[in-house]
Amino acid sequence: QKEVEQDPGPLSVPEGAIVSLNCTYSNSAFQYFMWYRQYSRKGPELLMYTYSSGNKEDGRFTAQVDKSSKYISLFIRDSQPSDSATYLCAMSGQFLNRGGGADGLTFGKGTHLIIQP
Amino acid sequence: SAVISQKPSRDICQRGTSLTIQCQVDSQVTMMFWYRQQPGQSLTLIATANQGSEATYESGFVIDKFPISRPNLTFSTLTVSNMSPEDSSIYLCSVDSSGSLRFFGPGTRLTVL
């Protein structure tokens, strides 16, 4: 079982719909959870960052963490064609190891999202 | 957030040659990271580069194949040596910025023929 599982999609929804993107993980030591958005031919852009369990909202985006189920979600409300991108989840047990060596950040493979106008 | 630039943005190279990718950050950062992103795969960490010390490589990556320089706190290079078609990938530079968040550059898309 991989440490982080993410459905690659593609996920295609009509404009205005609520989008739900999800990742599951197996390592109970993960405490920091991030979502990145990556447009075609661009680098990943940090979208949301949460610590431990709970919800965090930023505009149309809500990140949700359920540590008991080892499940994280990103919700996009009022989806727009400009939201079409690949969304990557990432997580870490301790925040970004500064001792050298492995950075402790584990990524999902990304979900390709298409918002149809 | 840190602003990161990479050069070149893309390149097509012949088998057996080498390519050096540059990463420039608009602020001083302690740690810089080099990742590889292959189609359908997770981002894979190649190495961590601290200024003034040898880069630390992840399992499966070696210095002879991916030499890294880190001459100062705003710049790093990654060289892909003796390339083969299997090295075709996107190479990403990443940094820790204020608040310990991780940011990425735009990537270098490499195709090896």
Side-chain angles (χ1 to χ4, degrees):
Chain A
Q1 181 188 11
K2 294 190 183 300
E3 275 200 299
V4 178
E5 299 275 4
Q6 186 176 11
D7 187 335
L11 175 62
S12 183
V13 301
E15 181 177 356
I18 296 174
V19 175
S20 173
L21 302 166
N22 311 293
C23 288
T24 59
Y25 63 95
S26 57
N27 188 343
S28 58
F30 288 145
Q31 298 182 63
Y32 298 89
F33 304 92
M34 285 142 276
W35 285 95
Y36 286 86
R37 177 176 62 193
Q38 186 173 22
Y39 290 114
S40 179
R41 302 181 184 279
K42 301 289 187 182
E45 168 195 9
L46 183 62
L47 202 56
M48 298 285 284
Y49 157 60
T50 54
Y51 169 71
S52 193
S53 287
N55 292 358
K56 184 174 183 178
E57 187 174 320
D58 184 0
R60 296 186 295 113
F61 298 89
T62 300
Q64 193 171 79
V65 175
D66 182 349
K67 290 189 71 180
S68 63
S69 301
K70 297 189 179 66
Y71 189 88
I72 69 170
S73 300
L74 177 70
F75 298 98
I76 307 175
R77 292 182 299 280
D78 187 25
S79 56
Q80 305 293 313
S82 58
D83 295 326
S84 298
T86 296
Y87 289 80
L88 302 129
C89 63
M91 45 199 79
S92 174
Q94 59 179 31
F95 201 66
L96 302 177
N97 186 347
R98 297 188 175 280
D103 68 349
L105 195 60
T106 303
F107 285 87
K109 291 185 178 181
T111 298
H112 182 44
L113 174 65
I114 301 168
I115 307 298
Q116 303 165 340
Chain B
S1 66
V3 176
I4 306 168
S5 60
Q6 284 185 235
K7 289 181 182 179
S9 59
R10 63 178 63 195
D11 208 341
I12 300 173
C13 300
Q14 296 297 319
R15 181 195 297 260
T17 62
S18 297
L19 176 71
T20 295
I21 302 168
Q22 299 179 4
C23 177
Q24 180 75 52
V25 190
D26 69 340
S27 58
Q28 294 184 341
V29 293
T30 304
M31 300 174 79
M32 295 178 78
F33 307 89
W34 287 98
Y35 284 84
R36 184 171 71 184
Q37 186 177 30
Q38 295 181 310
Q41 301 299 315
S42 307
L43 269 70
T44 302
L45 180 65
I46 298 171
T48 302
N50 291 333
Q51 192 263 340
S53 63
E54 294 271 339
T56 304
Y57 289 83
E58 297 303 303
S59 176
F61 298 96
V62 295
I63 188 170
D64 290 346
K65 175 67 176 178
F66 297 101
I68 287 171
S69 77
R70 181 78 200 274
N72 57 53
L73 292 173
T74 63
F75 187 80
S76 178
T77 67
L78 169 76
T79 298
V80 186
S81 303
N82 188 25
M83 288 184 286
S84 67
E86 293 71 36
D87 295 319
S88 297
S89 186
I90 299 172
Y91 291 86
L92 293 157
C93 172
S94 176
V95 303
D96 284 356
S97 188
S98 59
S100 298
L101 298 178
R102 180 66 55 79
F103 297 97
F104 286 86
T108 295
R109 184 178 296 267
L110 172 62
T111 302
V112 184
L113 303 177

